[in-house]
Amino acid sequence: MLLLSIDSSAVTASAALTENGNVIRSELINQGLTHSETLLPLIEKVMGNYEFGSLDAIAVTVGPGSFTGIRIGIATVKGLAFPNNTYCIPISSPEAIAYNFAGEDAVVCALMDARRNQFYSALFKSENGKIIRLTQDSALPFEEIEHSISDYKRVIAAGDGAELFCSKSKLKNIELASHEKRFQCGTGVAGAAENKKSIPAAELMPVYLRMSQAERELKLKKSKGVLL
């Protein structure tokens, strides 16, 4: 299967072209949240001489993560998929992070900075080359996540919130992932997409887990009886 895999759910943006699990080309950039300018050129670079019509599917992270980044990624994928009716594969951002560690023997704690003293997080077990989900994606406070990983022998913290989490944690069983593997990337998205169900592009939907700041402010105004 010829698969294009894309991530723009955090500060990094990445894409990978794979065929039957073999990486043809992958690219990652870390220039902040400027995905509206960088994502499509990055995808075109990865595709090279391949035509979009030759793709069997496009995999993309649908969240949780940056609200803007997720919207840009999904909109870009829909724009690429619609002309050829290419099917799409929605991927969890924490799961894409976990697949960077398929060769490790550890529990992977995927951590994305959700602000407001919370992390988007999920736990995965990496064993014998396989990634097994242990918890669902959630927005949780530091204390709850630290408690949930305290009994594991070895925990790898990864994601854009991993460095912040490790700086606060006093646990001895947790280690910060190397910078090369720390962030979700196109190849991780591709790994997570294996054996996943594909859907029509029109059915791709973001997974935010919580309201945006604008939605929270609107709700607060309504609760105070402010007329809009």
Side-chain angles (χ1 to χ4, degrees), residues 8 40 52 75 81 86 104 124:
S8 60
L40 191 55
F52 288 104
T86 307
E104 300 282 350
F124 301 84

Side-chain angles (χ1 to χ4, degrees), residues 4-193:
L4 173 64
S5 300
I6 297 166
D7 172 75
S8 60
S9 61
V11 293
T12 56
S14 60
L17 183 66
T18 59
E19 186 167 22
N20 299 325
N22 298 310
V23 179
I24 297 173
R25 187 166 187 174
S26 65
E27 295 285 342
L28 182 146
I29 56 175
N30 188 355
Q31 296 180 357
L33 295 174
T34 57
H35 303 324
S36 59
E37 301 173 3
T38 59
L39 186 59
L40 191 55
L42 185 70
I43 292 168
E44 291 173 341
K45 184 177 181 180
V46 164
M47 288 294 293
N49 294 325
Y50 286 84
E51 298 290 336
F52 288 104
S54 66
L55 293 171
D56 293 299
I58 305 175
V60 60
T61 46
V62 294
S66 159
F67 285 47
T68 302
I70 292 166
R71 285 195 296 268
I72 291 171
I74 291 177
T76 300
V77 168
K78 286 185 175 183
L80 297 175
F82 280 143
N84 300 294
N85 295 317
T86 307
Y87 270 63
C88 300
I89 305 174
I91 299 298
S92 147
S93 306
E95 188 170 3
I97 294 171
Y99 268 85
N100 292 343
F101 304 93
E104 300 282 350
D105 184 11
V107 167
V108 180
C109 182
L111 296 156
M112 301 176 69
D113 189 358
R115 313 293 179 179
R116 301 172 65 211
N117 299 313
Q118 289 187 328
F119 296 86
Y120 296 125
S121 178
L123 299 180
F124 301 84
K125 184 178 182 180
S126 176
E127 187 176 53
N128 299 323
K130 295 182 179 181
I131 299 294
I132 302 167
R133 179 181 283 275
L134 300 178
T135 65
Q136 295 302 308
D137 298 348
S138 303
L140 299 172
F142 166 81
E143 293 80 8
E144 188 169 340
I145 299 171
E146 187 179 51
H147 177 74
S148 72
I149 63 175
S150 60
D151 291 333
Y152 291 108
K153 182 178 179 181
R154 181 191 179 204
V155 178
I156 300 174
D160 65 18
E163 186 172 6
L164 173 61
F165 185 91
C166 287
S167 70
K168 297 174 66 176
S169 179
K170 293 181 172 57
L171 294 176
K172 302 298 184 183
N173 62 337
I174 190 168
E175 60 189 72
L176 179 63
S178 65
H179 196 271
E180 292 76 18
K181 288 187 173 184
R182 192 175 305 168
F183 307 102
Q184 54 267 58
C185 64
T187 52
V189 175

